């Protein structure tokens, strides 16, 4: 192992080649985060897949998982990992001859009694996919909506619940939705188009396109993947979030401004009447009657919950599940129609969005 001598802040440090590679990788990922926050496009991304440190970092994130020892269509697992294997992967990528292998499809049970398809990929594909995910995550995560909480570092179910607890005030109706078969039905063309808007590197885009088209083996019979992202691949949640970010933008820029109006609710006329009656009774010396009327008024909302001139629409998404709470039944009805109609017309390829009844 070769040694590199450096000086930092007056201190003399001896760094191994591996440590230097990891520092270079962290610096590059930091640059990607900064470009993502500033909304700048990415160029010449593919050549950074030749960095050995990127795969060492990917290996550090994968080898602890039980899936690292699960075989795909070959016998390759994490036990056979070596620097020589990383160099062989880099050499294939450098000459653009790396090819994703089909995943081995298995079926796992769901809580509702149904089964979910899962693709088990080879170890090399897992390693390269994690390297791609590190690049995409560093660049895109800072651009994602604050209302998106699924499959993001530093975010989870608790953050989604905290967002709902602190921000969903005065909501009487909720439009809850789910994108049916989200991973399996997303359009390849739409995903590549969204990626190409920000990443100006044909080789990198082509690598992801080959990943989407890799297919799967079920009972040793090859099947093509015409839509969707590989279920079971470490990069699939990131690719789904990149595409579903269009949904977040549509809700935040179109639906929420459209269904947000008024500064405050009008007073509840029944509540106001009861309080005036109670005050009149107190002035006439009818204390018991006044207390009874005031107690009855306190069981009523002081503001009109069905005020049509006051609307607030909020939004929260976790993976393929989303909810839009509102305080008005009328806006709830028209909002659900607008969501399933206008957004489908805009994206042209968002199928499987279903409404659930408001409650």
């Amino acid at each position: 192992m070769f040694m590199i001598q450096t000086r930092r802040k007056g201190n003399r440090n001896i760094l191994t080649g591996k440590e230097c590679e990891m520092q270079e990788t962290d610096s590059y990922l930091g640059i990607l985060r900064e470009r993502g926050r500033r909304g700048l496009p990415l160029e010449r991304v593919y050549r950074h897949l030749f960095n050995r440190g990127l795969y060492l970092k990917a290996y550090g994130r994968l080898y602890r998982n039980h899936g690292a020892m699960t075989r795909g269509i070959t016998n390759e697992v994490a036990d056979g990992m070596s620097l020589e294997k990383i160099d062989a992967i880099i050499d294939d990528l450098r000459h653009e001859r790396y090819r994703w292998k089909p995943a081995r499809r298995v079926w796992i049970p769901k809580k509702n009694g149904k089964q979910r398809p899962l693709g088990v990929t080879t170890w090399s594909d897992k390693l390269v996919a994690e390297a791609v995910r590190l690049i995409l995550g560093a660049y895109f995560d800072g651009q994602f909506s604050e209302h998106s909480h699924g499959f993001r570092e530093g975010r989870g179910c608790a953050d989604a619940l905290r967002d709902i607890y602190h921000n969903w005030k005065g909501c009487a109706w909720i439009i809850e939705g789910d994108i049916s078969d989200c991973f399996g039905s997303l359009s390849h063309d739409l995903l590549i188009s969204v990626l190409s808007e920000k990443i100006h590197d044909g080789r990198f885009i082509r690598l992801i396109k080959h990943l989407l088209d890799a297919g799967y083996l079920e009972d040793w019979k090859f099947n093509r993947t015409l839509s969707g992202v590989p279920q079971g691949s470490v990069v699939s949640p990131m690719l789904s979030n990149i595409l579903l970010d269009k949904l977040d933008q549509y809700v935040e820029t179109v639906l929420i401004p459209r269904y947000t109006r008024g500064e405050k609710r009008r007073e509840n006329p029944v509540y106001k009447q009861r309080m005036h009656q109670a005050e009149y009774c107190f002035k006439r010396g009818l204390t018991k009657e006044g207390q009874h009327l005031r107690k009855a008024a306190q069981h009523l909302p002081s503001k009109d919950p069905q005020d049509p001139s006051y609307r607030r629409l909020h939004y929260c998404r976790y993976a393929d599940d989303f909810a839009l709470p509102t305080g008005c039944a009328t806006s709830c009805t028209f909002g659900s129609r607008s969501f399933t109609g206008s957004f489908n017309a805009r994206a042209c390829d968002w199928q499987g969005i279903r409404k659930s009844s408001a409650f």
Side-chain angles (χ1 to χ4, degrees), residues 294-314:
R294 185 171 61 183
K295 186 175 181 180
Q298 289 173 346
H299 285 82
L300 299 172
S302 61
K303 304 296 182 180
D304 186 2
Q306 301 299 330
D307 182 4
S309 62
Y310 178 88
R311 294 179 181 177
R312 289 293 183 273
L313 185 65
H314 302 284

Side-chain angles (χ1 to χ4, degrees), residues 138-155:
Y139 179 69
F140 281 101
D141 192 76
Q143 305 178 50
F144 288 155
S145 168
E146 290 297 320
H147 303 295
S148 170
H149 302 280
F151 303 118
R152 295 181 61 185
E153 291 190 13
R155 290 175 179 261

